Amino acid sequence: MAIKVEQSHIRLSVRDLLLPAAHPQMLSSFPLPQRGLLGRQAQEKVQTQKNRRFGLFHSERHVSHSYDFMGYTFTVQGRIDGLYELKNRVEIEEIKSVILNAAEWKKLRPALYPHFMEQVLFYAYLLQDELKGVEIKTYLILINLINDARRTFTIPYKRPQVELLLQQRFTRIIQHIRQEAAALEEKKRALASIDFSLPESRPQQQDMMNAVRDAFESAGHLLISAPTGTGKTAAALIPAIRFAYLNNKRIFFVTSKTSQQNIVHETVLPLLEQGLELKTLFLRASEKMCAHSVYFCHEAFCPYANNYRERLDQSNLVAELLDETLLTPELIFEKGRALTLCPFEVSLDVSLHCDLVVGDYNYVFDPGVYLRRLFQRRDYSDWLLIIDEAHNLYDRGMAYLSPEIKQHTIRALLEQAEGKKNKVYEGMAKGLRALSNLFEKLDLEGVTEHETQQYFTTQLHVQAWQDAFDLYEAAFIKYLIYKVRRKIIRMEDPFEDLYYRARRFVQVARIRDEAFVPFYNAAEEGILKIQCCDPSHYLSQRLEGFHSAIAMSATLDPLPFYRDVLGFESLDAGVLALDSPFPASNRKVIIVPGISTRYKDRMQNYPKIAQIIEDVVAQKAGNYLAFFPSYEFMQNVNLFLGRVKSEKIMQTPGMAEAERDDILNRLRQAGKAHLLLAVMGGVFSEGVDYHGRMADGVFVVSPALPKISFERELLRAYYEHKRESGMQYAYIFPGMNKVIQAVGRLIRAASDKGVVLLIGERFSDELFMDLLPAYWFKQSGNVVVSKAYLTEVKKFWQNN
């Protein structure tokens, strides 16, 4: 448990009294969760054996006692691994596991693990007070996970010495509390000297700042739809910084794309330059932070990971970095590389001491890779959360909880394991065979009940999958031990990859909820997937641990939809929809009806769409952005754009960041006309600012409805049953969100002007029109439905 301070009452666990382990092993040598699982299994094995042999043995004995010290009351609690209640004394045992080779095991002594010794001695002290002074004997049992060897050490318990140590730790905690209180007072004085004023006054931005401040002060949650130009990053960050500074909180700012973090940097930099002591860290993915020539996180292979913890402590690098207030990935990378220390691990260690952490959604929401060192506890209310471009969290949330497992992979690994003459691989083969048998049953179900279908939903026998996974997991742990013993290093271990996939699959399979639908793709590979149709429950559980969560985007329309699917509805979150800060007359939205963009009609309408683009671009030289629902659609229209005089630029799949930046630089060139052809939902339609004359017009071709698929149809059926809005939730709302995002690229400042053409008859349908932002209709005639699009374009440019 975390230390809880309520006025003069301090609640904590025995573990909170311990100093950190001197040199914990790198996780890559024995990856979690196997390390923790094996340790628990070893502990339970010892406890079970002792329970059978000795009737006086009790496992998991809870102990708690309160002490008055220096004006505070400390309530300390813990759980003793093993306890013998004898006639004249009590004996207690603390059971710990280690991973040591034969030479290290031979030299083993308790002094190498002072935190283990302290833990059992503190338990003895608490228990002695609870039992009114009974004699206590203390033992430390160490189990080597490599070979199950066990050694028991007597730890001398001398009450005066333990009492002195306990008081020293109490004193340390009190000093920390007082230092924090003094630092808070200093922060309050420093905050008064910081100029938080913004470059220009925008009423919408001030409204947002007020709403965010109120949410923090009431420990509430808030969903904000803030049009482009509101200045939403500053409107969220400035109240957050003020509140965090004055209330001893920290801020985690999450984004869906790295490029969105640039505006955070631009927002905090002026404050830091004024001397604001706000340790700000920008996180990057481990692959991008890897300083080695090959990305493989194992200390036996990577010099940056080898003996990392000990070398980090000796280097004093964390303290050196914390002398800075702005901690960029580039800075940490260079510092880590210079000392041959893993830059990514360094950034994670630094994160423990930072006031503002900026990173991807994954660091908070992905159940597989979230930052456990920050958010493993249920209560992390010392953090404020800001979610940027929050409309992206819906798809991310579903993806996190939609695992799949492939029959082809299991068969290949089974063949590999059966070809090895080793007991370790025999166990692996047994587990793989159990998984393979479950796939054979699915194949049989497909043949007998769904003969003509490639996809079919199925009812998982969850216990059977759990049993098969347990078999594989037990064998896999022995396989890991085998690799450690033999010093085997596999850069890409398919057995390990399958373990994590199967583990995630079984975890999700245990969720009993109609929002999780298992289905089988009986194609050549045989893919079993669980489709999460509704991530709201999982997301709300994660969100409620924060003091407050602020989710914001320029496209959270319709708000009730996002409040539902992002998990804010169950948190009773507030909502705020803001008006655009820019003059309505600066933009003209023209809906061009009469052209079907449905799949069956596209071929005949490619020339018509190209003609509209050519006509509009010819009216005023400049830069135009044309967004399409797919690359195929874009490429087919491009075949008919031969008469466009502007330089054409086309987005390509998997475009590198450098290529994207080059295109944006070309659009910045004055006096040159360009037509950018891109896809909705891509790198050019979201999270990019087209300042000034970078964009004079935007074409959006067709509502970007997701492609019909078995998964989407499962979503449609689920929400039709739950909300009677299956088509809207599965297709229309996500598609129109991409449309609004694309249109939002046009007007980025008060001086920007331009035309928007929505091409496709469905845009004039009431179902789609109702989803267009209300601020588009602020001025009469700002949005028109007209086949005379050229007349409307000419009229707009004549008046502007």
Side-chain angles (χ1 to χ4, degrees), residues 66 95 134 420 426 431 433 745 767:
S66 294
I95 305 168
V134 69
K420 303 277 188 178
E426 287 176 10
R433 209 170 289 117
R745 300 311 95 202
L767 186 61

Side-chain angles (χ1 to χ4, degrees), residues 296 476 479-480 483 490-498:
F296 179 48
F476 177 67
Y479 167 72
L480 286 177
K483 289 206 301 182
R490 298 189 70 174
M491 193 166 294
E492 293 182 3
D493 191 334
F495 291 106
E496 187 168 337
D497 180 66
L498 175 65

